[in-house]
Amino acid sequence: MLQDVLTTTQRLLKPYLRNFLIQRRTSVSKVNQWGDDVMDRLEGFAGQGKMLRGGLVIEAARMFGRETDEAVLAAGAAMELVHASLLIHDDIMDRDVLRRGQPTMWAQYQRLGETQGVDRSTDFGQAMAMCVGDLGFFMAVQLLSQTQDKAAAMVHVFGRELPPCCYAQMEDVALSLSTAEPSKEQILSVYKYKTARYTFSLPLAVGAILAGADEILVEQLENFGEQLGILFQIKDDELGLFGDEAEIGKPVGSDVIENKKTLLRYYLFTLANPSQRQELGLVFGHDLSVEQLDWVRELVRELGIDVLITTQVDELIAECQLLIDQLDVAAEHKQFFSQLVEYTINRSK
Amino acid sequence: MLQDVLTTTQRLLKPYLRNFLIQRRTSVSKVNQWGDDVMDRLEGFAGQGKMLRGGLVIEAARMFGRETDEAVLAAGAAMELVHASLLIHDDIMDRDVLRRGQPTMWAQYQRLGETQGVDRSTDFGQAMAMCVGDLGFFMAVQLLSQTQDKAAAMVHVFGRELPPCCYAQMEDVALSLSTAEPSKEQILSVYKYKTARYTFSLPLAVGAILAGADEILVEQLENFGEQLGILFQIKDDELGLFGDEAEIGKPVGSDVIENKKTLLRYYLFTLANPSQRQELGLVFGHDLSVEQLDWVRELVRELGIDVLITTQVDELIAECQLLIDQLDVAAEHKQFFSQLVEYTINRSK
């Protein structure tokens, strides 16, 4: 059933977003060459994701009685564009060069700059990609205006949920570049506000609001989305260390190289003995050999961190299930949410 | 009369924006420390400008019969936050360290990073400021949701006008870092879309739409705003080279140092003789001595560029006046627009 949702998303939302971007080309070509250029790149990037967030908008709307009309697709596409833009900016901040198996936006423009012989191609790439991200936010606003009768409600919920995402991103940046060790609470707060609420709570709320669901239900969905999103991020960390490079679309171990303050890393540094901790300090935040990657993986098992995390994952699953049980929705929808939990923990990308 | 508008703006919009940001603090402090931190910095930055754009929203609304109520203030504050965020991102791209007489946002965070001993304080500063800019956009969306009955119209006009601003910014970046010489048309296109439409056309349209003005009038205002904005940018270039550092709040000659592809620069490179052009090539894009700055200023006069630009300015003024005459508004409002033209060309900051 979840597969159906993702298939529907691919079938409806992908062409909708593509058409939206193509239509923009006609109006932007009068400005300068970059409009055309950026529409192609945005389509190549935003159109290639799983579209999980957009899919959740569509499914939540359908679940509460609104079919996939223009307004639902516009809100779903807005969700995907905001997501794409946050990733584009995130990749500049992290200096990541690979995402979804292709060069990140700033890396694409850096390359273009090199081809065109511009001064300082890295600065050029970063500046151009910063503009593309800003553009994505503004085009999302443009899409929200197409949600007709629900435009006011849409700007309200997007405007409420996205600012915390920025504070959490700031904390993430600060934790990444700080030499101080973060607490577990700080890490989980980033998971909640940077990932969970906007990946699950926001799209579920958007869909439900479009369908006219009442406030209490919307809040219940948001709470469920929060727990599910933390689960999602913990799984992301696992994939980042143990996943398959071809599937996850970026180098395995990049979190280690970037010294990302993940929960996995927290346990490693907390549970390691002094000599292991010293070694970890030399490994995290630097280029990583295959042997070092294997050593980190082995240490995760040796220190029982995999078991520790499995326990936490199980707790989160139970919490999600409890929240699903409490939802005032039909049994088939509860089943969908349960499948969503399963998908989150079993996915390979 | 224009002075009254700016005074009203200071009296009403400044406290409104401040209160909005302060109120956010209570809801953001639960996320992490950065919410508080960023509200202070945003208030210190967005609250210190001329608030010309927000003032135009208020005045245009009032002119067409809507008093300065909550919705008008929310739209004006949204306008100011978008403006602040675009400047914050722009300063990262240009590596500018001073704006409005104080350190730019990324420079503030770089300094904070140094104090806190983070790794790579420049990267830290840029990443944090990128987040602050994103946040400003999202808070602007939040404010638009407070425009009540006009929220849909607001997202429509913001969503239509801001994307071209991004393409123009991309062109500006590309022109700045490219070794090719831009055409006059390319430069004027950047002026139109990067500055003019969002500084004048957008706020005037926003105010008029809030007051329920008809489409034809809104379009007339936008066309007037476009010409006025180009005038504004040409004046900005002049201030950048001949202005008073204390008044303009940034180093005189920074456009030269950054090799900004201004109209002034275009004429310099086009009209200079080969040896002057060679010298210009050595001066633009590098640190600037007082002697070099004086030489550039002198060359502007020697080559008659000041006269040339005055002629263009006069043409634009005539064009603006023609558009004002055609506006279907009361005589006192026409007088306001004429004053706005005068202010634009006579301002010292």
Side-chain angles (χ1 to χ4, degrees):
Chain A
M1 197 164 65
L2 176 68
Q3 202 46 54
D4 294 348
V5 172
L6 293 176
T7 310
T8 307
T9 308
Q10 298 284 329
R11 190 169 54 79
L12 296 176
L13 190 57
K14 205 169 229 179
Y16 181 86
L17 183 58
R18 188 187 304 127
N19 284 340
F20 172 79
L21 294 173
I22 289 171
Q23 279 169 21
R24 291 287 97 40
R25 292 182 67 136
T26 58
S27 70
V28 302
S29 57
K30 69 167 196 237
V31 179
N32 58 45
Q33 58 171 322
W34 298 109
D36 265 12
D37 169 89
V38 85
M39 290 308 151
D40 285 346
R41 290 178 200 271
L42 261 181
E43 210 253 304
F45 181 66
Q48 298 314 309
K50 293 187 288 281
M51 294 205 169
L52 172 64
R53 293 159 190 81
L56 289 176
V57 169
I58 292 176
E59 183 56 20
R62 208 190 57 75
M63 194 178 286
F64 301 108
R66 181 162 188 163
E67 284 311 310
T68 312
D69 59 13
E70 164 82 19
V72 172
L73 287 168
M79 193 67 238
E80 288 297 327
L81 275 183
V82 167
H83 176 53
S85 294
L86 287 171
L87 293 180
I88 289 167
H89 281 182
D90 195 52
D91 288 335
I92 301 172
M93 297 183 210
D94 292 343
R95 309 287 187 255
D96 280 330
V97 295
L98 213 58
R99 162 88 68 180
R100 295 175 184 167
Q102 55 180 359
T104 52
M105 198 57 78
W106 76 268
Q108 288 181 33
Y109 277 105
Q110 180 186 35
R111 200 173 291 182
L112 181 76
E114 278 166 10
T115 317
Q116 298 189 345
V118 303
D119 286 347
R120 301 183 277 128
S121 64
T122 302
D123 290 352
F124 174 77
Q126 292 175 359
M128 294 299 264
M130 216 186 299
C131 295
V132 177
D134 292 351
L135 173 68
F137 296 139
F138 297 142
M139 289 201 304
V141 171
Q142 203 167 21
L143 278 160
L144 292 184
S145 78
Q146 291 173 24
T147 56
Q148 313 290 343
D149 57 311
K150 295 293 182 187
M154 287 298 105
V155 286
H156 179 74
V157 67
F158 273 85
R160 189 193 65 197
E161 288 299 323
L162 292 174
C165 205
C166 297
Y167 314 132
Q169 175 72 0
M170 292 176 82
E171 178 83 336
D172 198 27
V173 167
L175 295 181
S176 287
L177 293 175
S178 163
T179 46
E181 287 298 325
S183 69
K184 196 172 154 187
E185 288 65 36
Q186 281 180 301
I187 295 168
L188 288 174
S189 168
V190 171
Y191 285 13
K192 174 172 161 183
Y193 291 106
K194 183 181 164 177
T195 304
R197 286 203 66 94
Y198 109 93
T199 302
F200 292 99
S201 305
L202 177 57
L204 289 173
V206 163
I209 292 168
L210 282 170
D214 72 40
E215 271 181 41
I216 295 171
L217 184 57
V218 170
E219 207 182 316
Q220 286 179 328
L221 287 170
E222 286 171 352
N223 291 338
F224 163 67
E226 214 173 278
Q227 299 304 313
L228 180 60
I230 294 172
L231 201 55
F232 182 87
Q233 185 57 52
I234 291 175
K235 179 70 187 183
D236 231 41
D237 297 343
E238 186 199 309
L239 287 173
L241 193 58
F242 294 96
D244 180 78
E245 189 149 323
E247 293 226 54
I248 63 173
K250 60 178 181 179
V252 173
S254 59
D255 288 351
V256 177
I257 295 170
E258 288 165 18
N259 203 14
K260 278 273 172 201
K261 302 296 161 72
T262 63
L263 199 61
L264 256 172
R265 182 191 172 287
Y266 169 82
Y267 285 128
L268 275 167
F269 276 76
T270 308
L271 299 176
N273 64 36
S275 81
Q276 288 167 331
R277 192 174 301 125
Q278 196 177 10
E279 183 65 22
L280 284 169
L282 296 172
V283 168
F284 276 76
H286 304 95
D287 277 341
L288 197 66
S289 69
V290 178
E291 291 72 27
Q292 286 173 317
L293 180 64
D294 281 341
W295 177 74
V296 174
R297 286 166 162 172
E298 191 46 46
L299 197 60
V300 167
R301 294 192 193 92
E302 190 186 316
L303 297 174
I305 295 171
D306 50 350
V307 179
L308 208 56
I309 287 187
T310 303
T311 312
Q312 296 204 8
V313 163
D314 287 343
E315 276 172 29
L316 280 165
I317 294 173
E319 177 71 21
C320 283
Q321 200 50 56
L322 197 71
L323 291 167
I324 293 171
D325 291 343
Q326 290 168 351
L327 283 177
D328 188 18
V329 299
E332 58 170 306
H333 300 323
K334 292 192 182 195
Q335 201 187 334
F336 168 77
F337 288 125
S338 296
Q339 286 186 353
L340 196 56
V341 176
E342 265 176 62
Y343 158 79
T344 298
I345 49 175
N346 294 325
R347 72 205 166 93
S348 58
K349 62 176 180 178
Chain B
M1 198 165 68
L2 176 67
Q3 202 46 53
D4 294 348
V5 173
L6 293 176
T7 310
T8 307
T9 308
Q10 299 285 328
R11 190 169 53 80
L12 296 176
L13 190 57
K14 205 168 229 179
Y16 181 85
L17 182 58
R18 188 187 304 127
N19 284 339
F20 172 79
L21 295 173
I22 289 171
Q23 279 168 22
R24 291 288 98 40
R25 292 182 66 139
T26 59
S27 70
V28 302
S29 58
K30 69 167 196 236
V31 179
N32 58 44
Q33 58 171 323
W34 298 108
D36 265 11
D37 169 271
V38 85
M39 291 307 151
D40 286 345
R41 289 177 201 272
L42 260 183
E43 211 254 305
F45 181 67
Q48 296 317 308
K50 293 187 286 282
M51 295 206 168
L52 172 64
R53 293 158 190 81
L56 289 176
V57 169
I58 292 176
E59 183 57 20
R62 208 189 58 76
M63 194 178 284
F64 301 108
R66 182 162 189 164
E67 284 312 310
T68 313
D69 59 13
E70 166 81 18
V72 172
L73 286 169
M79 193 68 237
E80 287 297 327
L81 276 182
V82 167
H83 177 53
S85 294
L86 287 170
L87 293 181
I88 288 167
H89 281 181
D90 195 53
D91 287 336
I92 301 172
M93 297 182 210
D94 291 343
R95 310 284 188 255
D96 279 330
V97 294
L98 213 59
R99 163 88 68 180
R100 294 176 184 167
Q102 56 179 358
T104 53
M105 198 58 78
W106 77 267
Q108 288 181 32
Y109 278 105
Q110 179 186 36
R111 200 173 292 181
L112 182 76
E114 278 166 10
T115 317
Q116 298 188 346
V118 303
D119 286 347
R120 300 182 278 127
S121 63
T122 302
D123 289 353
F124 175 77
Q126 292 176 357
M128 295 298 263
M130 216 185 298
C131 295
V132 177
D134 292 352
L135 173 68
F137 296 140
F138 297 142
M139 289 202 304
V141 171
Q142 204 168 22
L143 279 160
L144 291 184
S145 78
Q146 290 173 25
T147 56
Q148 313 292 340
D149 57 312
K150 294 293 182 186
M154 288 297 104
V155 286
H156 178 74
V157 67
F158 272 86
R160 189 193 65 198
E161 288 299 323
L162 293 174
C165 205
C166 298
Y167 315 132
Q169 175 71 0
M170 293 176 82
E171 178 84 335
D172 199 27
V173 167
L175 294 181
S176 286
L177 294 175
S178 164
T179 46
E181 287 297 324
S183 69
K184 196 173 155 186
E185 287 65 37
Q186 280 180 300
I187 295 169
L188 287 174
S189 167
V190 171
Y191 284 13
K192 175 173 161 182
Y193 290 106
K194 182 181 165 178
T195 304
R197 285 201 65 93
Y198 110 93
T199 302
F200 293 98
S201 305
L202 176 57
L204 290 174
V206 163
I209 292 168
L210 281 170
D214 70 40
E215 270 183 42
I216 295 170
L217 184 57
V218 171
E219 207 182 318
Q220 285 179 328
L221 286 170
E222 287 172 351
N223 291 338
F224 163 68
E226 211 172 281
Q227 299 303 312
L228 180 60
I230 294 172
L231 202 54
F232 182 88
Q233 186 57 52
I234 291 175
K235 179 69 188 185
D236 232 41
D237 297 343
E238 186 200 309
L239 288 172
L241 193 57
F242 294 97
D244 181 77
E245 190 150 322
E247 294 226 54
I248 64 173
K250 60 178 181 178
V252 173
S254 60
D255 288 351
V256 177
I257 295 169
E258 287 165 20
N259 204 14
K260 279 272 171 200
K261 303 296 161 71
T262 64
L263 199 61
L264 256 173
R265 183 191 172 287
Y266 170 81
Y267 285 128
L268 275 167
F269 277 77
T270 308
L271 300 175
N273 65 37
S275 82
Q276 287 167 335
R277 192 173 302 123
Q278 197 178 10
E279 182 65 23
L280 284 169
L282 296 171
V283 168
F284 276 76
H286 303 95
D287 276 341
L288 197 66
S289 70
V290 178
E291 291 72 27
Q292 286 173 318
L293 179 64
D294 281 340
W295 176 74
V296 173
R297 286 166 162 172
E298 191 46 46
L299 197 60
V300 166
R301 294 192 193 95
E302 191 185 315
L303 298 173
I305 296 170
D306 49 351
V307 179
L308 207 59
I309 287 186
T310 303
T311 312
Q312 296 204 8
V313 163
D314 287 344
E315 275 173 30
L316 280 165
I317 293 173
E319 176 72 20
C320 283
Q321 200 50 55
L322 196 73
L323 290 166
I324 293 171
D325 291 343
Q326 290 169 351
L327 283 177
D328 188 18
V329 300
E332 58 168 306
H333 300 324
K334 292 192 182 194
Q335 202 188 333
F336 168 77
F337 288 126
S338 296
Q339 285 187 354
L340 196 56
V341 176
E342 267 177 62
Y343 158 79
T344 298
I345 49 174
N346 293 325
R347 71 204 167 95
S348 59
K349 63 176 179 177

